[in-house]
């Protein structure tokens, strides 16, 4: 099966499976798991933070960050399209009593700084207390400009806000720009990074912050049921995600661009090539085709996509350029099959 639905479907590498099988482990709730401790020290070091925490998922990493920065009745400013606003079950509101203040994302994924400044509430009993600015990079596969991050950091600092990065795919953002991940994370007080997407670990995310923030996050993680025991089994694979899987993301980016260019030549699809900056391609399917039928037709060729009027194709380690070529080739008969009768 060639699976374009997400980079979350990546299989762990053979090296990961071997490292998992022989990982030294201990009870991590006691802080006794050497492999977890190793991973956390390595990540804090690599990304220029005091501390790091290995957690179950990106959703948990974001929630812990929001709950560590904000108290009950506080709010965070984020994009309308932000994962930690739109796709995390409203966890910050449900579990943290933290109010989101979503603002429009521009076409390039940024939020206008003037709109952020205008959304910060004055100290008045009528309002929630604005505590945090949360950005996402990459967002919808797009890379936020480095200069924008610097300006956002300055704005947050001047207004007394903390600044968080949902960096689920920050490794993609770094590789796309030919810079280090720490060149991006340097602008933030906390960062969450998914190891289980393009980086191919089976499970887990990293939360980065100062000692105080991570100590708070450890408490919340325990309360949320995320205190795991011999979790070095997972941390062993997570370490390899950081040491062996970052650079190869450039292949995924090349494959995504190759795919986008191929789709752009088909009348059935329209693609904005400017927006294809990393491993995600959004293509709009012409109304004369049925996305459900297209999905079904492709399954017969062992290709998995998740189609709506917009089709999102994600490239990753388990998709080669050959696989992309195969998709482009079989799309012609599959589109013919999924054409709506007039
Ligand atoms: C996937 C993703 C998350 C959540 O990660 P999970 O491990 O799926 O919980 C958070 N933010 C962004 C931008 C993501 O793409």
């Amino acid at each position: 099966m060639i699976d374009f639905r997400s980079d979350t479907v990546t299989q762990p590498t053979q090296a990961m499976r071997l490292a998992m099988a022989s990982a030294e482990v201990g009870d991590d709730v006691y802080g006794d798991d050497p492999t977890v401790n190793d991973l956390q020290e390595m990540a804090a070091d690599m990304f220029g933070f005091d501390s790091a925490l290995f957690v179950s998922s990106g959703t948990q990493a974001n929630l812990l960050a929001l709950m560590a920065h904000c108290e009950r009745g506080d709010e965070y400013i984020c994009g309308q399209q932000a994962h930690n606003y739109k796709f995390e079950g409203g966890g910050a509101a449900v579990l943290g009593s933290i109010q989101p203040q979503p603002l429009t994302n521009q076409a390039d994924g940024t939020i206008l700084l003037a709109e952020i400044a205008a959304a910060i509430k004055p100290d008045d009993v009528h309002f929630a207390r604005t505590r945090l600015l949360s950005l996402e990079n990459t967002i919808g596969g797009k890379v936020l400009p480095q200069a924008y991050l610097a300006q956002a950091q300055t704005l947050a600092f001047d207004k007394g806000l903390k600044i968080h990065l949902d960096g689920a795919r920050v490794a993609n953002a770094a590789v796309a720009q030919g810079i280090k991940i720490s060149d991006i994370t340097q602008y933030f007080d906390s960062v969450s990074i998914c190891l289980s997407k393009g980086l191919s670990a089976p499970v887990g995310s990293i939360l980065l912050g100062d000692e105080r923030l991570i100590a708070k996050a450890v408490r919340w993680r325990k309360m949320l049921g995320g205190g795991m025991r011999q979790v070095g089994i997972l941390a062993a694979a997570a370490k390899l995600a950081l040491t062996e899987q970052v650079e190869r993301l450039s292949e995924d980016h090349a494959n995504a661009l190759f795919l986008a260019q191929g789709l752009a030549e088909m009348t059935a699809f329209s693609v904005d090539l400017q927006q294809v900056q990393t491993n995600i391609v959004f293509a709009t399917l012409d109304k004369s085709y049925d996305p459900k039928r297209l999905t079904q037709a492709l399954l017969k060729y062992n290709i998995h996509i998740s189609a709506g009027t917009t089709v999102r194709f994600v490239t990753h380690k388990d998709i080669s350029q050959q696989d992309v070529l195969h998709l482009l080739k079989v799309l012609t008969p599959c589109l013919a099959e999924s054409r709506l009768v007039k």
Side-chain angles (χ1 to χ4, degrees):
M1 191 59 81
I2 309 169
D3 198 338
F4 286 92
R5 289 173 303 167
S6 178
D7 46 10
T8 55
V9 303
T10 41
Q11 294 284 315
T13 62
Q14 194 54 27
M16 285 176 180
R17 289 180 186 273
L18 288 172
M20 291 172 78
S22 60
E24 258 191 81
V25 296
D27 187 337
D28 184 51
V29 176
Y30 286 116
D32 282 352
D33 190 300
T35 309
V36 170
N37 293 339
D38 214 38
L39 166 68
Q40 291 177 165
E41 275 161 41
M42 184 178 95
D45 229 46
M46 270 176 93
F47 305 128
F49 281 81
D50 291 349
S51 301
L53 186 64
F54 184 51
V55 304
S56 63
S57 67
T59 300
Q60 189 175 64
N62 280 330
L63 179 61
L64 295 177
L66 292 168
M67 290 176 74
H69 284 297
C70 302
E71 308 277 324
R72 184 174 184 221
D74 290 350
E75 75 169 8
Y76 66 107
I77 294 175
C78 60
Q80 283 284 357
Q81 303 308 322
H83 199 282
N84 61 21
Y85 170 58
K86 228 177 150 178
F87 301 109
E88 296 180 10
V94 175
L95 299 162
S97 301
I98 304 161
Q99 161 174 295
Q101 169 59 74
L103 300 174
T104 305
N105 287 104
Q106 302 299 306
D108 67 357
T110 61
I111 309 166
L112 294 178
L113 296 171
E115 288 186 13
I116 295 170
I120 298 170
K121 319 255 182 313
D123 184 4
D124 177 314
V125 292
H126 292 88
F127 303 126
R129 291 166 301 226
T130 313
R131 281 278 188 253
L132 179 71
L133 171 61
S134 178
L135 300 178
E136 188 174 311
N137 195 17
T138 62
I139 179 160
K142 288 170 290 192
V143 177
L144 298 183
Q146 286 292 100
Y148 173 78
L149 300 185
Q151 289 161 357
Q153 181 194 37
T154 303
L155 173 71
F157 186 82
D158 289 347
K159 304 286 185 185
L161 305 184
K162 296 292 183 187
I163 182 167
H164 171 72
L165 178 68
D166 178 349
R169 295 192 180 87
V170 69
N172 295 85
V175 167
Q177 297 174 93
I179 59 179
K180 288 187 294 194
I181 295 174
S182 59
D183 293 333
I184 298 174
T185 57
Q186 63 170 327
Y187 297 112
F188 296 90
D189 296 305
S190 59
V191 178
S192 58
I193 302 178
C194 280
L195 306 174
S196 63
K197 292 187 172 169
L199 300 182
S200 302
V203 178
S205 280
I206 280 281
L207 176 64
L208 301 159
D210 66 15
E211 263 175 52
R212 218 178 118 261
L213 180 116
I214 296 299
K216 276 180 148 180
V218 169
R219 280 191 77 83
W220 288 127
R221 185 185 66 173
K222 183 71 183 139
M223 217 182 285
L224 293 166
M228 294 187 280
R229 304 294 182 180
Q230 283 72 34
V231 69
I233 295 267
L234 298 177
K239 277 166 66 178
L240 294 176
L242 289 177
T243 55
E244 293 188 352
Q245 296 298 315
V246 174
E247 256 130 69
R248 61 149 303 283
L249 293 174
S250 61
E251 295 167 28
D252 303 343
H253 301 175
N255 285 337
L257 189 60
F258 180 66
L259 170 59
Q261 286 163 342
L263 294 172
E265 281 172 20
M266 300 181 176
T267 50
F269 287 106
S270 55
V271 185
D272 183 350
L273 291 175
Q274 299 276 83
Q275 308 259 338
V276 183
Q277 299 170 11
T278 56
N279 68 327
I280 302 180
V281 179
F282 286 101
T284 309
L285 183 63
D286 188 87
K287 284 191 181 59
S288 52
Y289 299 90
D290 178 358
K292 278 215 189 83
R293 267 199 243 165
L294 180 62
T295 306
Q296 290 306 318
L298 283 167
L299 275 177
K300 285 185 273 174
Y301 292 93
N302 290 325
I303 294 173
H304 219 142
I305 65 165
S306 55
T309 14
T310 303
V311 191
R312 188 184 82 149
F313 298 92
V314 184
T315 55
H316 52 74
K317 170 178 76 59
D318 301 331
I319 290 182
S320 64
Q321 196 189 36
Q322 275 312 106
D323 294 334
V324 174
L325 267 170
H326 177 62
L327 167 66
L328 288 170
K329 206 168 112 212
V330 306
L331 264 173
T332 309
C334 291
L335 282 164
E337 238 182 272
S338 49
R339 196 168 183 125
L340 296 164
V341 240
K342 287 187 208 109

